């Protein structure tokens, strides 16, 4: 086919541009150009609402530039085999574009050396979520004064931000290391590094040899996949990534009928009422904090299904003979559109995800919950099922996000979305006392013999799971009270039993398969802020009396948890 005939011609122009780099200024100008069309490298740059002024869009820099999933893959001994596999993969990719084996191996070593330096300068994924340490505001002049070897003016100018008044830097220490590396490493090393990142970013859009080599490393070795997905499957994800608003319209037309949105809105209203009642009753909140929580909730908004005004992609030139170019031009269109918004008022009608996204999320800076149509399908929502099933799955998921917004993380954003702590010291102490019971519960869960869940690391998500289950149950009882005809047994199970069964069933996943190597299990338990799915299904319910009542669970039964050990946060 055409891709086989073209082989690596689609990236020839970019490789030539790299070969022409003869100065630091040219290096960063080209890096900016690459960032603008979807090619990663050195660091990440993005446009988003300013956490301290959420009504305005700001431009941000963050650590990045790695080929492996995170810093630990470069630094921990347990990942040594994967590092070596990565080195061999990079070398094989270089040979595909014509380098001789010796040269390809030398170049692969340069890439791994540079990326290891970047990894050593990076903080853990968990640390990047702390707004307090990851918000550092600089004018371009201050940025240049702090990192004189980085050609910031060239980069910002190429991105169309020559006149930007300030930027936000996530991890200033990381950029100090980048500054040193730019000063110490020869331009020839950076040219090799950029060649690799162009090749890496483009491989799935090129010939079969590049695509297969990429899957053999990232699919099989890094992610443990045994079978390569068909190209059409990958293409669907690409389409969602670059023209997801248009693709989402087709999906919504076929799979998200208007009556689904009506029913979800009803579920949401019952959840909001249940949450308001919970806030009024929780005993760990001081009255001053309770008033602020209720005031924040009054400004809460929701986005369900799809945007009212989808993004218009008509300015993008789509060519049937240019697979990679179509991706890059669409990415560049979205990047230019985002850059043009820097310093301007945030459009609250804008969706940060596409309608096909299979997730629910709370946008703290906009104080809103977003439920894309992609998540509003079985096992999370089913128009053909009774309320008990939908409240147990989707209702608990929404409740999870709501409690995130008003708990330890949500306390850092006020009703306007500004980064500001609105809890008192007393609230913190009482909340932490409640949370400790959940931490102790999950610490006792044994994943494999001798390895337990890290209750501290996963506490925030476990607390949200518990809050989500409680809120959804309250909301279901409200729905049943309003319409007594819904209170009936189905398949031999009461609505309450069906609720808890649905809650557990929606956690079915292959995320923690039995064949995962022990080293990977250890890494996940140390770093992942989510507990394994089977404990997310069971753990929250072991704190809810209504669960014990629904199934007649008594002391001595496997899921019994003594009343004095149960957590009551929401």
């Amino acid at each position: 086919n055409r891709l086989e005939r073209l082989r690596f011609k689609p990236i020839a122009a970019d490789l030539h541009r790299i070969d022409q780099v003869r100065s630091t200024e040219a290096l960063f100008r080209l890096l900016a150009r690459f960032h603008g069309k979807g090619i990663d490298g050195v660091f990440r740059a993005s446009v988003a609402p300013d956490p301290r002024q959420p009504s305005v869009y700001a431009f941000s820099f963050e650590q990045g530039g790695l080929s492996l999933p995170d810093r630990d893959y470069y630094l921990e001994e347990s990942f040594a085999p994967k590092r070596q596999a990565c080195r061999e993969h990079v070398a094989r990719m270089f040979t595909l574009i014509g380098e001789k084996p010796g040269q390809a191996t030398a170049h692969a070593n340069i890439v791994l050396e540079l990326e290891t330096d970047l990894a050593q300068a990076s903080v853990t994924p968990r640390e990047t979520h702390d707004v307090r340490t990851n918000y550092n505001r600089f004018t371009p002049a201050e940025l240049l004064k702090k990192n004189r070897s980085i050609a910031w003016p060239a980069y910002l100018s190429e991105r169309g931000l020559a006149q930007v008044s300030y930027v936000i830097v996530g991890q200033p220490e990381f950029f100090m290391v980048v500054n040193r590396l730019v000063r110490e490493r020869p331009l020839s090393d950076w040219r090799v590094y950029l060649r690799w990142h162009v090749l890496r970013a483009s491989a799935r859009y090129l010939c079969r040899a590049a695509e297969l080599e990429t899957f053999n490393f990232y699919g099989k070795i890094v992610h443990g996949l045994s079978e390569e997905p068909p190209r059409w499957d990958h293409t669907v994800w690409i389409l969602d990534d670059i023209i997801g608003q248009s693709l989402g319209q087709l999906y919504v037309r076929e799979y998200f009928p208007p009556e689904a949105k009506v029913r979800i809105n009803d579920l949401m209203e019952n959840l909001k009422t249940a949450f308001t009642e919970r806030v009024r009753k929780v005993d760990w909140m001081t009255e001053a904090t309770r008033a602020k929580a209720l005031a924040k909730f009054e400004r809460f908004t929701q986005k369900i299904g799809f945007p009212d005004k989808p993004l218009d992609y008509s300015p993008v030139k789509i060519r049937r003979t240019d697979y990679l170019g179509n991706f890059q031009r669409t990415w560049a269109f979205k990047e230019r559109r985002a850059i043009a918004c820097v310093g301007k008022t945030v459009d609250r009608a804008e969706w940060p995800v596409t309608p096909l996204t299979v997730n629910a999320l709370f946008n703290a800076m906009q104080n809103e919950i977003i439920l894309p149509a992609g998540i509003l399908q079985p096992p999370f929502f089913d128009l053909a099922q009774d309320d008990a099933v939908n409240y147990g799955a989707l209702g608990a998921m929404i409740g999870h996000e709501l409690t995130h917004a008003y708990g330890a993380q949500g306390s850092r954003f006020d009703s306007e979305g500004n980064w500001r702590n609105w809890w008192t010291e007393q609230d913190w102490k009482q909340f932490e006392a409640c949370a400790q019971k959940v931490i102790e519960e999950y610490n006792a869960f044994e994943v494999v013999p001798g390895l337990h869940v890290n209750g501290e690391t996963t506490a925030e998500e476990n607390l949200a799971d518990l809050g989500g289950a409680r809120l959804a149950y309250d909301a279901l009882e409200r729905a049943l009270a309003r319409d007594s005809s819904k209170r009936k047994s189905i398949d031999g199970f009461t609505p309450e039993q069906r609720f808890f069964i649905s809650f557990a069933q929606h956690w079915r996943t292959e995320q923690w398969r039995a064949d995962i190597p022990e080293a990977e299990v250890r890494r996940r338990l140390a770093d992942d802020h989510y507990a394994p799915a089977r404990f997310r299904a069971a753990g929250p319910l072991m704190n809810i009396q209504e669960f014990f009542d629904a199934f007649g669970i008594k002391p001595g039964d496997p899921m019994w948890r003594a009343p004095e050990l149960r957590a009551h946060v929401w």
Side-chain angles (χ1 to χ4, degrees), residues 2 7 16 38 107 110 119 130-131 166 180 191 213 219 235 260 311 340 447 453 458-459 469 496 519-520 525:
R2 182 175 178 83
R7 289 191 60 78
H16 177 71
H107 285 174
I110 289 171
D130 189 340
V131 179
Y166 72 92
R180 175 177 60 78
R191 287 196 292 267
E213 173 58 36
T235 304
L311 183 59
V447 183
V453 175
T458 60
E496 287 77 11
E520 176 65 4
L525 291 177

Side-chain angles (χ1 to χ4, degrees), residues 259-276:
E259 53 267 32
K261 193 166 187 176
V262 170
R263 193 163 168 190
I264 293 165
N265 273 322
D266 185 63
L267 180 151
M268 179 69 81
E269 289 307 309
N270 284 329
L271 270 169
K272 288 161 70 173
T273 300
F275 180 76
T276 301

Side-chain angles (χ1 to χ4, degrees), residues 435-511:
Q436 186 59 35
K437 291 185 176 182
V438 176
I439 292 171
E440 292 170 359
E441 176 190 8
Y442 280 78
N443 278 338
F445 289 142
E446 194 172 38
V447 183
V448 295
L451 289 177
H452 292 252
V453 175
N454 187 324
E456 188 76 41
T457 302
T458 60
E460 187 174 327
E461 298 300 331
N462 298 334
L463 287 165
D465 285 344
L466 173 57
R470 286 193 184 280
L471 290 176
Y473 184 88
D474 289 353
L476 172 64
E477 291 300 305
R478 178 178 175 80
L480 294 174
R482 286 196 318 180
D483 186 351
S484 59
S485 67
K486 294 180 178 180
R487 188 175 287 283
K488 58 184 179 181
S489 293
I490 300 176
D491 297 330
F493 296 104
T494 67
E496 287 77 11
Q497 289 173 328
R498 288 171 65 78
F499 170 89
F500 291 118
I501 292 170
S502 176
F503 177 85
Q505 285 182 330
H506 97 273
W507 285 116
R508 288 176 296 182
T509 176
E510 294 186 355
Q511 182 188 11

Side-chain angles (χ1 to χ4, degrees), residues 270-402:
N270 284 329
L271 270 169
K272 288 161 70 173
T273 300
F275 180 76
T276 301
E277 291 174 352
R278 283 277 172 185
V279 170
R280 289 189 174 126
K281 290 189 296 186
V282 291
D283 57 8
W284 56 267
M285 272 191 182
T286 60
E287 290 306 314
T289 299
R290 194 187 318 278
K292 291 175 182 176
L294 291 170
K296 180 177 178 178
F297 199 54
E298 288 179 3
R299 298 182 64 84
F300 168 83
T301 58
Q302 61 207 43
K303 291 174 177 172
I304 296 175
F306 53 93
D308 294 331
K309 188 178 180 182
L311 183 59
D312 177 15
Y313 298 96
S314 60
V316 181
K317 292 182 180 179
I318 301 295
R319 299 170 183 156
R320 295 182 64 86
T321 58
D322 192 7
Y323 187 28
L324 175 61
N326 289 336
F327 167 78
Q328 292 183 339
R329 283 188 295 276
T330 310
W331 188 281
F333 159 73
K334 294 198 297 182
E335 284 290 302
R336 288 193 300 271
R337 184 174 178 272
I339 291 292
C341 292
V342 173
K344 296 181 181 178
T345 302
V346 168
D347 181 1
R348 291 185 62 89
E350 190 91 3
W351 277 55
V353 295
T354 71
L356 286 179
T357 301
V358 184
N359 200 2
L361 62 150
F362 185 83
N363 184 343
M365 285 188 282
Q366 302 302 315
N367 194 22
E368 66 181 4
I369 195 167
I370 303 169
L371 299 173
I375 196 73
L376 304 175
Q377 58 179 314
F380 309 105
F381 174 78
D382 189 342
L383 194 57
Q385 291 287 355
D386 59 306
D387 279 350
V389 170
N390 288 322
Y391 277 72
L394 180 64
M397 182 182 298
I398 296 172
H400 173 108
E401 299 300 335
L402 284 178

